[in-house]
Amino acid sequence: MCGIFGYFAQQGIAAPEQQQLRNGTTVIAHRGPDGQGTTWFDTRAGAAGSAAFAHEQWTGARAPTLLLSHRRLAIIDLSTDALQPMASDEDMLWLTFNGEIYNYLELRQELQARGARFRTSSDTEVILKAYGAWGIDAFSRFVGMWAFALLDRRRRRLILSRDRFGIKPLYYTKTADGFAFGSEIKQLVGLPGVERRANDRVIHDFLHYEASDCGEETFFETILRLPPGQNLIVDLDDGSFTQKAYYDPLEQKVEVPTTAAAAAERFRELLKESVRIHLRADVPVGTCLSGGLDSSAIAMLMREIANEAGLAIDRHAFSAEFDVPEADERYYTRLSIKAAEVRSHIVQPREEDLLADLHKLVWHQDEPFGSTSIYAQWSVFRLVQQAGVKVVLDGQGADEMLGGYASTVPFFLLEQKARQRHLLALRESWQWAQLQGKSFASQVPYPGLKRLLGAFAPSGQPATAAEQPWINPAFASRHAGNSAYVAALAPQPFGADGHFGNVLHRFFFRTNLPALLRFEDRNSMAFSVEARVPFLDHRLVEYAFALPSQFKMREGYTKRVLRDAMAGTLPEEIRMRARKMGFATPERLWQTGPLRALVEAAIADPKLEPYIDRAAASAHFERIRAGQSFSFAPWRWLNLSLWMKEFAL
C-alpha cells in the first residue's frame, strides 16, 4: 500500500514546474513513510537508452516529458530492491504501484515456468513480468487491489489501471500543458494550471441525497476519478488518451449450487481462500473487529487458518466502543474477541477527540462525507498504528453484495411479489417484521393488504410536522434533473422485476460501496496502515451476484448465505443477530452537543449561502435540538463549510 503520482507534458516540463511537481509526493508522505522514489523520462520519439530517464534530478539536455513518483509503505519484500518506480530488466517498462496482488506467488511460479527470472520477492515485479508476458490481459489475472501507472517505452504508451471494484483510488486531471494523476486529490489541486473550483452538481447530490462518490466526477470540478475496472491509456506521441473497461462482473460465468446448503458451503470455501491469501505479508497482520457478522467471520477464519497451518501467531484485533445506547455494541464485540482468540485493542472515541481531529479528518478525506460515523474508523486506524501493526483485514462489501441493510429488504419483497412468489413474500415480510420488532402491516409489500392491516394496527407516535426545505431554492432549481446520483439509480442489470439484484448492484458499484472504500482508504492511510477487504475478492463477488435472492434472505434474516456458511464457527448470538449497527457514533448527541457551535457557524458561513437557506436551516437544526426530528443534514452543512475552507474554495 503506497501513494503514486505522475505528470505528463508532451512538449516538456520546464525547470520551475519540476520543482513544483515534487510536492505531488511530499503532500502524501503519510501514505508511504518507508521510502520514496522519483524518475524523470524523455518520452519523445528518438529518446533511447539511459539518456531517456534519470532518477530524482533531471540532467538531460532537453526538458523531460514525464514524471513518475512513489511513496512506499513496505508490506511485501521489505528490502530496498523493491523500491519504486521499478523498471523491468531492460528498462523498457516502468511501474509506480499502489496496492497488493495477493496471488503474486502463483503468478510468479507461472511466469518462472515460462522462463522469467526475478530479482526481488515483491508483487510489484510480478506486475511488470506479467505485463511483459501477457500485455494488458495480465490485469485480469490479478487477485487484489491496485492503482498503478505503467510506462511502456516500446509501445510508447502510459497505462493507468484501477482494480475491479475501486478499492484503491486513482484521480487525474488535465492541465493547460499536460496530464496529471495521483492517489489523492490534494496532490492535484495545487498543480500549476489546475483551477480550484467546487463542483456544484456533486455538492447538490451531497446536500439533497447525502450522496457522494457516484461516477467519475468529484467535489472538485477539474478533478476526475478513474472508474473501477478500467484502464486509461495515454498515447505518448500525440498526448491523446482512451479509457476502456476491462471487467464486468455480470459477464463472468459462475456455477451456482441448487440448494441453500451447497451454496453456503461454496461461499465459505471462497471466503476462506480469500482470507488466506489476504494474510500474505512480511509484516504483522491484524483485523478490525466489531460485534457484527462480517468482521467476526473474518476474525474467526483467521483463527481457523492459523490453527490449521500450525502457526502460533499473535493475532491483533482493533475495535471502537461507545457507552451510549445508539452506538453501544460492547457486548457483541467482546463476544467476538473471546471467540476469535485475538489480542484485543479497544478505543473509545470521545467528543473532545472529534473536535481535536476534525480538521485533519476533513483534510485527509479530500471530499465531504455524510456523517461522523467514519470517525470511529479513523480512531481504530490510529489505534492500529499505535500498536505497531501495518496491515488489517476489514469487512467492507458484504452488506452491499448480500443485502445486509434494512433498506434493501423492501426490494427483496417486491422482487418476490413481481415474480409471483406471493406466499414467500408474505412469509418473509412477516418473519422480518418479527425479528426487527416492527408491525407486519408496515412491512407487507401489498398496498391493499397494508391498508387493511394498518386499520387494525395500534397507532404509532404522532407524525412530526413536515420539514421546511433548507436547500437554497435557486440552487435546487438549477440542478434539478441533473443528478449523478439519480442517474445511478436507473440501470436494471437484473431486469425490471429483479428489484433486489438491482439495488444490490447499485449499492455495490455505484453508491454506497464506492464512498465506503474512499473512507477506508483515507482513514487507514492517514496512519500509514494498509486496509485489506477479503469480501472483495472478485471470485467471491461474482459468485455472490450470481446467487438467487432467496439464498441471501431467508426466514427474515439478511445475508443468509453468509450466516449459513459460518454455522459452527461463529457464536450463535453473532451469527443469527438480526439487527445491524456497524461502525456507529453518537451522532445525535454530537451534532447537538460538541458540534453545535460549529454547525451554527456553518449555517452563517457566507460560502454556504449559495447552497442553503439560512433561516430554514436554523429552524431545521432547532427541531433536531428539541428532539422533534433527526437527520444528518447539520453535519453535511458543517462538513461542506470545513472542506471549502480546508481546500481554499
Side-chain angles (χ1 to χ4, degrees):
M1 189 81 68
C2 308
I4 67 174
F5 175 71
Y7 187 85
F8 173 69
Q10 189 182 1
Q11 302 305 316
I13 306 170
E17 289 181 334
Q18 293 175 30
Q19 294 302 316
Q20 289 177 295
L21 290 174
R22 292 184 178 278
N23 188 53
T25 47
T26 303
V27 74
I28 58 160
H30 51 276
R31 297 188 73 94
D34 298 332
Q36 60 180 328
T38 297
T39 306
W40 302 88
F41 300 88
D42 182 353
T43 61
R44 300 176 184 91
S50 60
F53 60 88
H55 299 293
E56 300 306 327
Q57 195 74 34
W58 179 253
T59 56
R62 54 183 182 179
T65 59
L66 175 66
L67 164 69
L68 296 180
S69 293
H70 188 263
R71 298 289 314 206
R72 187 185 187 203
L73 181 64
I75 302 296
I76 294 175
D77 189 345
L78 309 185
S79 73
T80 56
D81 293 338
L83 289 172
Q84 300 180 43
M86 182 181 287
S88 61
D89 296 334
E90 69 284 3
D91 293 327
M92 297 305 290
L93 303 175
W94 289 79
L95 179 68
T96 181
F97 160 52
N98 170 30
E100 300 290 354
I101 306 302
Y102 302 118
N103 66 330
Y104 76 102
L105 294 177
E106 290 79 5
L107 290 171
R108 181 188 179 100
Q109 291 176 354
E110 186 175 355
L111 289 162
Q112 285 174 325
R114 294 169 57 99
R117 294 185 177 182
F118 290 82
R119 63 182 186 273
T120 76
S121 57
S122 70
D123 57 337
T124 306
E125 190 178 9
V126 169
I127 295 176
L128 283 170
K129 298 288 187 182
Y131 176 81
W134 302 303
I136 287 179
D137 290 342
F139 306 166
S140 297
R141 295 172 177 255
F142 299 158
V143 178
M145 55 182 182
W146 69 85
F148 60 70
L150 193 156
L151 171 62
D152 185 340
R153 294 174 61 204
R154 185 173 285 112
R155 293 183 177 87
R156 305 198 45 71
R157 62 187 183 181
L158 176 69
I159 303 166
L160 273 61
S161 183
R162 194 173 181 207
D163 66 67
R164 297 171 179 85
F165 309 125
I167 304 168
K168 291 293 97 193
L170 188 53
Y171 299 91
Y172 67 95
T173 185
K174 298 177 186 177
T175 69
D177 301 315
F179 168 86
F181 63 87
S183 296
E184 298 188 12
I185 292 174
K186 59 180 65 68
Q187 298 171 270
L188 307 180
V189 293
L191 293 178
V194 178
E195 296 184 45
R196 291 176 183 257
R197 289 198 305 270
N199 188 335
D200 283 358
R201 180 174 184 242
V202 175
I203 289 174
H204 175 265
D205 279 357
F206 177 67
L207 293 175
H208 192 192
Y209 302 108
E210 197 182 327
S212 63
D213 302 79
C214 296
E216 297 183 51
E217 292 186 56
T218 71
F219 280 81
F220 296 84
E221 193 172 294
T222 54
I223 311 294
L224 297 173
R225 67 172 58 87
L226 183 64
Q230 294 202 13
N231 297 324
L232 189 153
I233 303 175
V234 182
D235 187 306
L236 299 176
D237 291 322
D238 62 17
S240 65
F241 58 83
T242 56
Q243 193 170 314
K244 185 177 181 181
Y246 65 84
Y247 178 72
D248 184 339
L250 301 187
E251 291 181 355
Q252 313 305 312
K253 293 183 179 180
V254 180
E255 187 175 329
V256 178
T258 57
T259 67
E265 182 179 358
R266 179 58 179 154
F267 191 95
R268 180 188 173 86
E269 291 172 356
L270 289 169
L271 179 58
K272 185 175 180 179
E273 169 61 15
S274 179
V275 171
R276 185 185 68 81
I277 63 172
H278 276 72
L279 291 173
R280 289 175 171 172
D282 296 331
V283 296
V285 180
T287 185
C288 296
L289 184 61
S290 70
L293 175 63
D294 309 334
S295 64
S296 298
I298 290 172
M300 294 299 291
L301 288 174
M302 287 174 64
R303 187 195 73 166
E304 187 174 298
I305 291 165
N307 291 343
E308 289 174 352
L311 299 175
I313 57 175
D314 192 11
R315 293 187 307 279
H316 296 259
F318 302 89
S319 312
E321 294 184 349
F322 299 93
D323 61 358
V324 296
E326 65 185 280
D328 188 356
E329 203 175 35
R330 288 174 293 180
Y331 172 78
Y332 294 101
T333 299
R334 280 163 169 71
L335 198 59
S336 293
I337 289 168
K338 182 178 180 181
E341 299 175 349
V342 293
R343 181 179 175 186
S344 176
H345 306 261
I346 297 173
V347 62
Q348 293 184 321
R350 302 167 300 172
E351 57 188 45
E352 54 265 37
D353 299 326
L354 173 65
L355 290 173
D357 290 336
L358 197 51
H359 287 280
K360 287 186 291 185
L361 182 62
V362 170
W363 183 80
H364 274 285
Q365 279 295 322
D366 271 343
E367 300 179 90
F369 45 97
S371 80
T372 63
S373 63
I374 72 168
Y375 185 65
Q377 188 186 64
W378 166 278
S379 302
V380 165
F381 283 121
R382 174 162 50 201
L383 187 66
V384 175
Q385 183 190 55
Q386 291 169 350
V389 175
K390 294 179 75 171
V391 177
V392 290
L393 274 54
D394 208 349
Q396 300 287 15
D399 285 321
E400 288 75 19
M401 68 185 183
L402 298 179
Y405 298 113
S407 61
T408 65
V409 172
F411 293 90
F412 173 84
L413 300 175
L414 286 172
E415 181 175 302
Q416 307 319 308
K417 175 187 173 186
R419 293 177 175 174
Q420 306 299 308
R421 300 172 183 146
H422 303 295
L423 290 178
L424 177 61
L426 288 171
R427 184 174 70 247
E428 289 292 347
S429 59
W430 167 261
Q431 292 171 318
W432 164 257
Q434 292 293 108
L435 288 170
Q436 299 299 316
K438 300 176 182 289
S439 71
F440 178 43
S442 69
Q443 304 301 307
V444 66
Y446 296 84
L449 183 57
K450 182 178 290 188
R451 286 193 298 270
L452 178 63
L453 292 170
F456 296 98
S459 60
Q461 297 295 322
T464 57
E467 300 286 3
Q468 295 182 7
W470 46 261
I471 295 181
N472 183 308
F475 176 66
S477 176
R478 193 160 58 249
H479 293 281
N482 186 34
S483 166
Y485 174 75
V486 172
L489 308 185
Q492 297 181 326
F494 289 88
D497 62 349
H499 302 287
F500 191 58
N502 290 334
V503 75
L504 297 189
H505 189 274
R506 178 199 314 161
F507 277 16
F508 192 95
F509 293 100
R510 296 175 178 271
T511 57
N512 290 36
L513 186 59
L516 292 173
L517 291 175
R518 191 242 301 181
F519 306 156
E520 179 111 18
D521 173 81
R522 299 307 194 283
N523 284 340
S524 61
M525 295 309 298
F527 298 103
S528 305
V529 172
E530 175 170 299
R532 298 179 174 182
V533 281
F535 280 103
L536 298 191
D537 183 309
H538 71 277
R539 297 164 297 185
L540 182 61
V541 172
E542 291 161 10
Y543 178 75
F545 273 99
L547 288 174
S549 297
Q550 304 92 289
F551 289 174
K552 298 181 185 180
M553 183 169 182
R554 194 173 78 252
E555 297 172 343
Y557 286 96
T558 61
K559 296 195 291 192
R560 188 58 191 258
V561 67
L562 174 58
R563 297 178 195 273
D564 291 349
M566 298 307 296
T569 301
L570 278 178
E572 284 298 287
E573 284 185 90
I574 293 175
R575 188 177 78 90
M576 301 309 285
R577 182 183 176 192
R579 302 185 189 184
K580 178 180 174 58
M581 182 173 290
F583 262 140
T585 53
E587 196 87 34
R588 188 187 306 269
L589 293 176
W590 283 1
Q591 279 195 155
T592 58
L595 296 178
R596 174 184 171 184
L598 292 175
V599 170
E600 291 171 342
I603 293 172
D605 184 355
K607 288 182 178 290
L608 295 198
E609 191 171 358
Y611 306 121
I612 67 172
D613 181 303
R614 288 180 181 170
S618 294
H620 182 83
F621 189 46
E622 284 304 310
R623 285 193 294 277
I624 292 174
R625 288 187 58 232
Q628 297 172 356
S629 65
F630 176 71
S631 79
F632 296 116
W635 167 256
R636 298 204 296 280
W637 310 331
L638 170 56
N639 193 188
L640 185 60
S641 173
L642 293 174
W643 171 76
M644 297 187 81
K645 290 184 174 74
E646 201 67 50
F647 288 92
L649 293 162

